[in-house]
């Protein structure tokens, strides 16, 4: 049995996934724009709804691709004499995967988690700057209501203001992107692990895969510089 057509279809589905990822990136930037511009909380919440809809599409697409891949692998293993009903087998596996869906799945979507994290950081940076935003501040954790000092803008490696800050998902500390990546590359060549450069941090294995752009902090730095 030739699976060339199936492989081609899977490739097309993966392209669709990239469109979903792009949509989630755009929704995240729009939400951050809204917070920075002190728009109504309702407008920001609408972006969260959009993110959850994208997460649902991503989950459904992942399940469908997984159903196809498992069906193909099963046929390759069993090598049936007659060509099976691929459509039925895929649908059966897809339905089984979808039956285990829950709302918590969507909230574990990596891009949705990044969206929530950046939204929290954005509120931390900008909500205190609004004169009439007491209600919004009350909805935020107490630690967020504390005014951020410019020390948060300084990279622990270069000791200079960050231009492209990245956040470590494991310990939460931020660094200048080029500086931390250079250290990781150097230590990798030496076959050694990288300890978090932030003084007092016990995290001893910083990896490039754990770093994500801190868009909220970058906007706060840019805003401070404009002022």
């Amino acid at each position: 049995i030739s699976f060339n057509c199936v492989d081609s279809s899977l490739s097309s589905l993966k392209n669709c996934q990239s469109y979903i990822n792009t949509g989630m990136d755009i929704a995240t930037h729009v939400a951050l724009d809204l917070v920075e511009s002190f728009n109504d909380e309702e407008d920001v919440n609408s972006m969260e709804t959009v993110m959850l809809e994208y997460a649902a599409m991503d989950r459904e697409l992942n399940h469908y691709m997984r159903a196809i891949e498992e069906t193909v692998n099963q046929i390759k293993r069993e090598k049936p004499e007659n060509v099976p009903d691929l459509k039925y087998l895929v649908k059966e596996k897809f339905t089984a995967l979808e039956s285990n869906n829950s709302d918590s799945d969507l909230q574990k979507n990596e891009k949705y988690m990044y969206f929530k994290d950046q939204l929290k950081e954005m509120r931390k940076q900008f909500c205190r700057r609004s004169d009439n935003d007491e209600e919004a501040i009350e909805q935020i954790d107490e630690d967020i209501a504390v005014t951020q000092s410019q020390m948060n803008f300084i990279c622990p490696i270069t000791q200079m203001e960050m231009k492209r800050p990245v956040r470590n998902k494991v310990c939460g500390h931020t660094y200048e992107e080029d500086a931390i990546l250079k250290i990781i590359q150097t230590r990798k060549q030496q076959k050694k692990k990288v300890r978090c450069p932030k003084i007092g941090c016990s995290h001893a294995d910083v990896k490039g895969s754990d770093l994500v752009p801190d868009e909220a902090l970058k906007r706060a730095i840019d805003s401070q510089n404009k002022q």
Side-chain angles (χ1 to χ4, degrees):
I1 302 173
S2 175
F3 294 103
N4 290 336
C5 291
V6 175
D7 292 338
S8 177
S9 297
L10 276 175
S11 179
S12 298
L13 288 174
K14 286 174 183 176
N15 284 335
C16 291
Q17 198 166 37
S18 70
Y19 300 145
I20 291 174
N21 289 336
T22 300
M24 295 183 90
D25 290 340
I26 293 171
T28 298
H29 281 93
V30 170
L32 298 182
D33 286 341
L34 291 170
V35 174
E36 188 173 0
S37 305
F38 304 114
N39 282 62
D40 291 339
E41 191 70 14
E42 187 177 341
D43 293 334
V44 179
N45 290 340
S46 69
M47 286 299 101
E48 182 170 356
T49 301
V50 170
M51 289 294 290
L52 288 170
E53 289 173 352
Y54 272 125
M57 284 190 282
D58 185 61
R59 178 180 63 187
E60 185 175 354
L61 190 57
N62 279 326
H63 282 170
Y64 193 66
M65 288 192 293
R66 181 179 165 185
I68 293 173
E69 289 169 348
E70 287 183 359
T71 300
V72 168
N73 290 334
Q74 178 184 336
I75 293 171
K76 285 180 177 179
R77 284 195 311 272
E78 297 175 357
K79 298 178 181 178
E81 294 182 7
N82 300 318
V83 179
D85 187 340
L86 290 176
K87 185 176 180 180
Y88 173 78
L89 292 175
V90 169
K91 185 177 180 180
E92 191 176 46
K93 290 183 182 297
F94 173 73
T95 301
L97 290 169
E98 286 283 291
S99 66
N100 294 319
N101 287 349
S102 69
D103 291 341
S104 62
D105 297 339
L106 304 182
Q107 294 171 356
K108 292 175 184 175
N109 178 281
E110 188 173 346
K111 283 193 175 289
Y112 175 76
M113 291 171 65
Y114 175 74
F115 167 86
K116 293 291 286 183
D117 175 69
Q118 287 295 287
L119 208 54
K120 178 179 177 180
E121 290 300 315
M122 200 68 178
R123 284 167 172 153
K124 185 191 296 184
Q125 301 290 352
F126 286 92
C127 275
R128 286 290 288 185
R129 302 183 188 187
S130 173
D131 293 331
N132 302 309
D133 211 13
E134 293 180 2
E135 185 178 347
I137 293 175
E138 289 175 359
Q139 296 173 358
I140 304 168
D141 297 337
E142 289 182 10
D143 64 312
I144 297 177
V146 179
T147 304
Q148 296 295 293
S149 71
Q150 285 188 317
M151 287 301 294
N152 290 332
F153 299 167
I154 304 301
C155 172
I157 303 168
T158 65
Q159 294 302 310
M160 296 175 64
E161 187 177 84
M162 290 179 278
K163 292 181 172 60
R164 296 179 63 184
V166 290
R167 177 183 298 277
N168 190 323
K169 292 188 291 184
V170 177
C171 63
H173 294 126
T174 53
Y175 334 95
E176 180 66 54
E177 183 179 31
D178 289 344
I180 188 65
L181 289 180
K182 186 175 181 179
I183 291 177
I184 290 174
Q185 183 61 32
T186 300
R187 301 288 283 180
K188 184 178 180 180
Q189 291 172 351
Q190 298 171 347
K191 296 183 178 179
K192 295 180 180 179
K193 294 181 178 180
V194 179
R195 176 174 287 277
C196 176
K198 187 74 172 180
I199 295 175
C201 182
S202 60
H203 182 46
D205 190 13
V206 179
K207 297 174 181 162
S209 58
D210 291 330
L211 305 176
V212 293
D214 196 329
E215 179 68 20
L217 183 56
K218 182 179 185 305
R219 287 173 183 242
I221 294 171
D222 291 345
S223 177
Q224 182 69 35
N225 289 336
K226 286 176 185 176
Q227 291 178 7

